[in-house]
Structure formats: C-alpha cells, structure tokens
Amino acid sequence: MNSATGSDDPRDYLLDQGYENYTETDHATWNTLARRQRDILKGRIADQFLDGLDRLGIGEEGIPDFRAMNQRLRAAIGWEVVAVPGLIPDLAFFRLLADRKFPAGFWIRKPEQIDYIEEPDIFHDVFGHVPLIMQPIYADYLEAYGKAGLVAAEHGALKRLARLYWYTVEFGLAQTPQGLRIVGAGIASSPGETVFSLESPSSNRIGFDLARVMRTLYRIDDYQETYFVLDGVEAWPSLDLDRLIPLWKELEAQEDIQPGEIQSEDRVLTNGDGSYHRDKAKSAA
Ligand code: HBI
Ligand code: FE
C-alpha cells in the first residue's frame, strides 16, 4: 500500500463525517454499489460478513451515518469508525487500530468512477471493512495488528505488516464447511474480484502461513496472482510479539517471494495457470 507521509498522530487526521454534505447523487452511488455487491456476494462471502452488514444497518438506505453505526459498534464490540481524508501514514493507522478505531475515508467516488478508484473511499472502507469487525475474533485481530505494527516500525519490519494486511484483511479467503468464502475487504467491495478471487483458474490459492505471507510481494494494480486461504473464518493468525520479533529477524535472511510464485512447502489448493496476468502483460506490451 502506498500510504501517506506526515504526522504520526492520528488526531491530525480525524474529521467530522459531514453527513449533511452528502448529495442525493452520493447516496445513490452508495446504493448502487451496495445493491450490486449484496447480490454478487451471495454464496461467496462469509456468512459473518452478511450478519455484520445486517447488524450495523449497512445496506441500501444511503451512506451510513457514523453516529448511528458507531452506537451499535461500540455497544457490540467496543470499536468505532472515525472519518479521515484518505490514506494516512502507517503509524497513525496502527495507533488507531490499536485503540479499536477504524479509519474510513468520508468521501464517496463519483458516478463516472463507479468501477475503479485509486484511493479507498467510504464504500470500500465501510462496506468492505466494517462488517467483520462485529466478530470478536476479527476485532481482536485488527487491534493486535495495530499493536504489532507499532512494534514492527521499531524493527524495520513494516513491509511484513503491510503484506500481512494485504493478504488477510484486504484479500483473504477462508475455508468453510460450505466451501471457499471471501473474508477480505478489497475483494468484498469489488464486483470483479469477488468472482475472480474464487473462480478464476488463473490465480493460486494457497493455505495461509504467516511467515510465507510476510515474504510475499503483492500487486496493487490488478487482481491478485495468489490468494491465501485461512483454515476457517475465525482462523486469523495470532500476532504474538514474542513470536513475531524473532520471525522478522529470521526472515531478513530469506528472499522475497514473487506474487505468482509457488514454493515446494506450500499447501496448494489451486495451482493457477497464470493466464489472466499473462494475457494482460501481452496486451500491455
Ligand atoms: N490509511 N486510511 C488508511 N487506510 C488503510 O488501510 C491504510 C492507511 N495507512 C497505512 C495502511 N493502510 C497500510 O500501509 C498498513 O496496513 C501497513
Ligand atoms: Fe482497505
């Protein structure tokens, strides 16, 4: 992720959501996106995500008002969503998560950008990220992630944390008794990747392994070449610092792994044929 530079103090980024400033068009854009995602996510997303949407009132009644949503989040799980202008520096981001606050962009994409935006907007941040925070195990994972991030910064291990976030919180899949399901917010807020991540023969799907993920480079400009699969919707990795600090040290001696590469130790669920990214590279050349 290409995050901002600037102050590490989260208070320098917090805004009022400015709920009254959203236009009819803004609410209509939200509703269009929410309706489309709800349809396409059926049978593909973890049930817990849909449960979170329902319990938080995140739906097709316009952009959620953080004041109302936060009453439910606070009461249920001791988290809240805070409005920020966009990407914020890593340390400010980690501090918020460590304090059980999830930063969300307050703005929404314009109708002409409905399918692609470069920076996360409120639809990605709230529809994609917030529903799973209603699950205690996930809520604790995000908090632990924030705390680990603050320590990683002191150990030159920020890239390890960025990769972990990418391959779990943003682009994670999970095994369930009903089959593979989406748990990542970057997938859950994108109609194209919702289908691609589960059904494309192109990408690899590999059983989650913490050290393996922390070594793996990722693509920010297209669908992933590899998705990592948690052993269950509640199987978020433990981020015990007594284990992480020596692990980061060990990894310094190991090479990075390319996004599409498979290693002999991998638990391979799908060995992707790479066709999607190869065709793209051809047409770009
Ligand atoms: N800021 N608003 C926002 N949202 C993010 O997801 C985010 C961020 N800053 C940094 C960041 N993510 C990542 O680089 C860290 O997870 C490593
Ligand atoms: Fe995100």
Side-chain angles (χ1 to χ4, degrees):
M1 243 165 293
N2 186 3
S3 45
T5 50
S7 158
D8 294 334
D9 186 343
R11 286 171 301 188
D12 293 336
Y13 304 97
L14 302 189
L15 303 169
D16 187 275
Q17 186 188 5
Y19 195 74
E20 294 68 27
N21 300 330
Y22 293 120
T23 64
E24 289 284 320
T25 307
D26 292 338
H27 288 296
T29 299
W30 172 282
N31 290 341
T32 301
L33 290 164
R35 188 171 312 124
R36 183 169 75 171
Q37 274 318 102
R38 260 211 181 260
D39 281 349
I40 204 157
L41 287 172
K42 261 182 226 131
R44 296 192 171 100
I45 192 86
D47 293 341
Q48 289 85 342
F49 182 100
L50 297 174
D51 182 59
L53 285 178
D54 290 343
R55 288 168 63 202
L56 288 166
I58 301 174
E60 294 156 37
E61 290 84 51
I63 297 172
D65 184 333
F66 290 179
R67 291 166 294 199
M69 190 172 65
N70 279 338
Q71 283 186 357
R72 300 187 191 190
L73 262 176
R74 265 191 232 106
I77 203 87
W79 271 76
E80 60 188 277
V81 172
V82 293
V84 295
L87 288 177
I88 62 174
D90 292 337
L91 284 182
F93 180 69
F94 295 142
R95 286 196 178 124
L96 287 172
L97 297 181
D99 198 24
R100 294 175 83 90
K101 293 185 171 61
F102 192 81
F106 71 89
W107 60 281
I108 188 153
R109 65 197 76 182
K110 298 286 165 227
E112 59 273 21
Q113 307 168 293
I114 198 114
D115 286 316
Y116 186 74
I117 46 168
E118 307 217 326
E119 285 234 337
D121 70 346
I122 192 171
F123 184 74
H124 167 77
D125 281 338
V126 171
F127 187 98
H129 281 285
V130 179
L132 279 188
I133 298 178
M134 289 293 271
Q135 304 300 315
I137 290 184
Y138 184 82
D140 290 348
Y141 174 66
L142 272 189
E143 178 187 347
Y145 177 84
K147 290 181 169 150
L150 294 170
V151 178
E154 295 164 10
H155 287 78
L158 281 177
K159 70 177 183 190
R160 309 292 174 200
L161 271 271
R163 292 168 186 175
L164 176 63
Y165 195 82
W166 194 261
Y167 283 118
T168 60
V169 175
E170 295 290 0
F171 295 100
L173 299 176
Q175 200 75 69
T176 79
Q178 292 76 37
L180 275 192
R181 291 290 183 272
I182 294 160
V183 291
I187 305 177
S189 59
S190 155
E193 197 147 6
T194 292
V195 176
F196 183 92
S197 64
L198 292 174
E199 291 156 39
S200 170
S202 185
S203 292
N204 306 318
R205 296 176 190 86
I206 299 177
F208 181 85
D209 178 86
L210 183 64
R212 164 47 155 116
V213 164
M214 287 187 168
R215 291 176 59 200
T216 310
L217 299 163
Y218 55 86
R219 311 180 63 110
I220 60 168
D221 57 335
D222 207 336
Y223 300 148
Q224 300 306 304
E225 287 177 72
T226 297
Y227 297 92
F228 288 94
V229 180
L230 299 173
D231 292 331
V233 174
E234 307 221 305
W236 301 91
S238 124
L239 300 180
D240 179 358
L241 290 167
D242 295 335
R243 185 162 147 241
L244 282 179
I245 295 168
L247 178 59
W248 295 331
K249 187 90 201 124
E250 259 173 63
L251 294 183
E252 282 172 20
Q254 299 184 34
E255 290 198 42
D256 287 346
I257 302 171
Q258 293 303 314
E261 200 178 326
I262 289 191
Q263 307 269 106
S264 56
E265 312 79 41
D266 288 337
R267 289 187 288 143
V268 178
L269 307 176
T270 315
N271 186 339
D273 63 19
S275 51
Y276 171 84
H277 293 94
R278 200 162 45 242
D279 290 351
K280 276 228 151 170
K282 261 189 225 151
S283 57

